[in-house]
Amino acid sequence: MAVSYSKTSPYYGTQPWGKFLDVWPGKTISADMTDAIYQIDQIYDLRPDLLANDLYQDPNLWWVFAVRNPDVLVDPLLNFTTGKIIYVPSKNTIQRQLGI
C-alpha cells in the first residue's frame, strides 16, 4: 500500500516501511528577508491552522510556524498562545521552499 502525502504536508517525502512510516526526515523553512515578525492574536490562540488558513489559504500549513520558530514553538499547538512573537514566512516563501 503506497502512502502519498501532498507537498503541503509535514510528512511529504516520508516513505512507508511495511505497515509503518519510516523515520520522519523533518522539514525546514529557511529564514527569508520577507519573513514578518508577528505577535499571535487572541483569535489564533492555540489555533495555528486558522492563521495558516488566513495567510496561506491552506490550514494544512499550520506546521510551518513550528518549523520556522523551533525555539519559540517547542510544542506546535500548546505553545501557540496569545502574545507570543514568531516569524511568519510570506506566502511566496512557502510556495518556493515547498515547491507548491
Side-chain angles (χ1 to χ4, degrees):
M1 175 171 122
V3 176
S4 179
Y5 293 99
S6 74
K7 289 184 178 183
T8 61
S9 171
Y11 305 112
Y12 179 76
T14 305
Q15 299 299 315
W17 187 64
K19 296 191 308 186
F20 306 99
L21 288 178
D22 200 355
V23 175
W24 182 59
K27 290 276 192 179
T28 58
I29 302 293
S30 303
D32 191 87
M33 291 177 20
T34 61
D35 288 354
I37 296 174
Y38 178 74
Q39 185 172 7
I40 299 171
D41 291 324
Q42 185 175 5
I43 192 169
Y44 301 120
D45 190 59
L46 302 176
R47 294 300 305 268
D49 58 325
L50 295 179
L51 182 59
N53 189 60
D54 287 349
L55 294 176
Y56 310 128
Q57 290 70 52
D58 189 345
N60 295 319
L61 290 172
W62 62 269
W63 58 271
V64 165
F65 308 120
V67 171
R68 178 61 185 88
N69 300 278
D71 54 334
V72 177
L73 301 174
V74 177
D75 183 308
L77 301 177
L78 296 179
N79 292 146
F80 204 86
T81 55
T82 302
K84 198 154 285 190
I85 297 173
I86 61 172
Y87 289 103
V88 175
S90 70
K91 186 174 183 177
N92 289 337
T93 298
I94 296 302
Q95 290 172 334
R96 185 179 70 250
Q97 291 192 23
L98 297 181
I100 54 175

